[in-house]
């Protein structure tokens, strides 16, 4: 009887040990399965990144990523859109340029004693395009401005003009082009006709590009304040308030001359001797008195000239013209 009880006791102990082993085995299996799952998840992520590099249609990390689906029975992913569509960057539109930019300096120190070369001017203005054209890269301008300069025998003055005006116009956020209207000489000589060159410049500049307004400037006049803005205005603008010579052509058309404030409308002139064949016309006062009669027949509508050459240099566009031989002027007295 005792042996029977001993056998049953041993059987119970064996079953308990077996049950304990089974429980331990199950616990270990759960633990290993959990670790294995984590490792598999890490591996799958790593494998996904590699897969996305190998396949251009895979995208799982983008906020606007493509959706992924399985094709039945096939062991690869398919994208609903191409990856390139997700990588498209939308550029922020540029703002309009302010009427009064923040980078203006104000009163300028203008001097003509230093050595000036065209190479130096070009180094100072790397953003100016061929032909002397410029537009701001950080904003959109409302207008395009053409600056027209009648020219003859003033290469030295031109270097200084470009040296000062290009930085001024860039700070003013102007979309501009600079045009030199060069009068060709007749047998080495010829009467300089400034007014006709201005009309020719207007006509030729319109062939090159579309502009909203035109600034007529002398090559020996430099603004002394960059707050004198080279913008388009509702009425004709006289930038150099100390050089008022041509207001009467404007007033007869019913327009008014606008001017900058006297503090910022000052210009400095490069001193020079009057050129040969650029003497004052002795008939100028008579012509002024008859302007109201002659201005409708004498101007752009009667303009005759020959275009000789158009050359685009880094800092300006040079337009050389032959204006013909002017009528002889009667002698004084």
């Amino acid at each position: 009887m005792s042996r029977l009880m001993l056998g049953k006791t041993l059987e119970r102990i064996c079953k308990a040990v077996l049950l304990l082993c089974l429980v331990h085995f199950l616990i270990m299996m759960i633990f290993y399965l959990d670790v294995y799952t984590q490792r598999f998840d890490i591996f799958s992520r790593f494998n996904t990144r590699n897969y996305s590099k190998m396949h251009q249609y895979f995208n799982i990390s983008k906020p606007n990523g493509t959706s992924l689906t399985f094709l039945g029975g096939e062991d690869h992913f398919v994208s609903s859109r191409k990856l390139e569509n997700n990588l498209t960057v939308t550029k922020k539109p540029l703002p309009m340029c302010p009427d009064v930019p923040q980078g203006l300096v104000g009163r300028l120190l203008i001097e003509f004693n230093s050595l000036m070369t065209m190479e130096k001017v070009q180094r100072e203005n790397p953003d100016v395009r061929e032909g002397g054209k410029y537009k701001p890269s950080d904003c959109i301008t409302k207008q395009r401005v053409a600056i027209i300069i009648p020219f003859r025998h003033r290469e030295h003055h031109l270097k200084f003009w470009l040296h000062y005006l290009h930085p001024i116009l860039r700070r003013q956020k102007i979309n501009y082009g600079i045009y030199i209207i060069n009068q060709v000489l007749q047998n080495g000589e010829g009467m300089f006709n400034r007014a006709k060159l201005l009309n020719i410049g207007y006509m030729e500049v319109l062939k090159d590009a579309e502009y909203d307004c035109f600034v007529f400037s002398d090559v020996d006049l430099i603004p002394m304040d960059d707050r004198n803005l080279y913008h388009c205005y509702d009425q004709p603008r006289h930038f150099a308030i100390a050089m008022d010579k041509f207001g009467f052509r404007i007033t007869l058309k019913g327009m008014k001359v606008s001017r900058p404030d006297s503090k910022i409308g000052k210009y400095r002139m490069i001193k020079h001797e009057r050129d040969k064949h650029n003497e004052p016309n002795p008939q100028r006062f008579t012509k002024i008195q008859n302007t109201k009669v002659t201005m409708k027949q004498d101007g752009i509508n009667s303009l005759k000239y020959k275009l000789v050459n158009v050359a685009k240099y880094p800092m300006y566009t040079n337009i050389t013209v032959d204006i013909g031989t002017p009528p002889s002027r009667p002698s004084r007295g």
Side-chain angles (χ1 to χ4, degrees), residues 59-66 83 86-87:
N59 184 0
I60 197 171
S61 61
K62 299 292 182 181
N64 297 321
T66 56
L83 180 62
N86 299 320
L87 297 180

Side-chain angles (χ1 to χ4, degrees), residues 47-214:
N47 193 43
T48 298
R49 288 196 294 267
N50 292 339
Y51 192 90
S52 64
K53 293 180 180 179
M54 293 184 295
H55 297 272
Q56 62 175 338
Y57 297 116
F58 187 89
N59 184 0
I60 197 171
S61 61
K62 299 292 182 181
N64 297 321
T66 56
S67 59
L68 303 176
T69 55
F70 276 103
L71 284 183
E74 296 190 13
D75 190 20
H76 64 273
F77 291 106
V78 177
S79 168
S80 62
R81 289 183 297 171
K82 292 185 178 180
L83 180 62
E84 296 86 63
N85 295 339
N86 299 320
L87 297 180
T88 302
V89 178
T90 303
K91 293 184 178 179
K92 186 177 180 180
L94 293 177
M96 298 300 294
C97 294
D99 293 334
V100 181
Q102 295 182 351
L104 300 181
V105 178
R107 189 67 181 271
L108 305 172
L109 176 63
I110 308 297
E111 59 88 18
F112 309 112
N113 299 322
S114 61
L115 177 65
M116 187 58 58
T117 64
M118 201 62 73
E119 290 76 15
K120 180 180 179 180
V121 177
Q122 188 172 351
R123 289 195 303 269
E124 294 170 342
N125 303 278
D127 296 336
V128 176
R129 306 192 309 276
E130 184 183 41
K133 297 180 180 180
Y134 172 82
K135 67 176 180 178
S137 60
D138 58 347
C139 61
I140 300 175
T141 59
K142 301 175 184 177
Q143 309 150 341
R144 295 189 65 184
V145 180
I147 301 176
I148 299 174
I149 302 176
F151 186 83
R152 189 178 69 167
H153 297 320
R154 296 291 179 87
E155 287 78 10
H156 178 66
H157 296 171
L158 178 61
K159 296 172 186 177
F160 279 102
W161 193 95
L162 295 170
H163 164 70
Y164 285 112
L165 263 296
H166 270 304
I168 289 175
L169 296 170
R170 289 166 56 203
R171 289 197 298 271
Q172 292 181 355
K173 302 292 185 182
I174 306 294
N175 184 346
Y176 67 89
I178 294 177
Y179 296 86
I180 306 301
I181 314 303
N182 185 32
Q183 179 180 338
V184 72
L185 300 180
Q186 293 286 342
N187 299 322
E189 295 183 353
M191 191 65 65
F192 183 67
N193 193 329
R194 178 183 183 275
K196 189 170 185 177
L197 292 177
L198 295 179
N199 285 337
I200 293 173
Y202 171 79
M203 297 295 292
E204 290 298 322
V205 164
L206 287 176
K207 297 178 183 178
D208 182 58
E210 293 183 2
Y211 289 97
D212 300 297
C213 57
F214 303 83

Side-chain angles (χ1 to χ4, degrees), residues 290-324:
N290 296 328
T291 298
K292 188 173 183 179
V293 178
T294 61
M295 61 185 250
K296 295 182 180 180
Q297 291 81 30
D298 183 17
I300 292 179
N301 56 358
S302 62
L303 191 61
K304 294 181 180 179
Y305 65 96
K306 179 181 179 182
L307 179 62
V308 177
N309 183 49
V310 177
K312 294 184 180 294
Y313 295 104
M315 294 290 104
Y316 63 95
T317 296
N318 186 84
I319 301 176
T320 302
V321 295
D322 182 356
I323 65 173

Side-chain angles (χ1 to χ4, degrees), residues 178-274:
I178 294 177
Y179 296 86
I180 306 301
I181 314 303
N182 185 32
Q183 179 180 338
V184 72
L185 300 180
Q186 293 286 342
N187 299 322
E189 295 183 353
M191 191 65 65
F192 183 67
N193 193 329
R194 178 183 183 275
K196 189 170 185 177
L197 292 177
L198 295 179
N199 285 337
I200 293 173
Y202 171 79
M203 297 295 292
E204 290 298 322
V205 164
L206 287 176
K207 297 178 183 178
D208 182 58
E210 293 183 2
Y211 289 97
D212 300 297
C213 57
F214 303 83
V215 175
F216 301 109
S217 174
D218 289 329
V219 75
D220 57 354
L221 287 179
I222 310 295
M224 300 177 66
D225 197 308
D226 63 1
R227 292 171 296 178
N228 192 0
L229 301 175
Y230 279 56
H231 288 173
C232 305
Y233 295 87
D234 295 334
Q235 297 292 332
R237 183 78 164 178
H238 190 209
F239 291 98
I241 60 174
M243 302 291 294
D244 193 357
K245 295 180 180 180
F246 307 104
F248 59 89
R249 291 195 175 265
I250 297 171
T251 55
L252 290 176
K253 285 292 186 179
M255 296 182 288
K256 295 181 179 180
V257 179
S258 65
R259 294 179 176 86
D261 186 88
S262 59
K263 295 181 180 179
I264 65 175
K266 297 179 180 179
Y267 278 69
R268 185 170 182 184
M269 177 179 286
I270 305 176
K271 294 182 179 180
H272 58 87
E273 299 295 331
R274 183 177 288 274

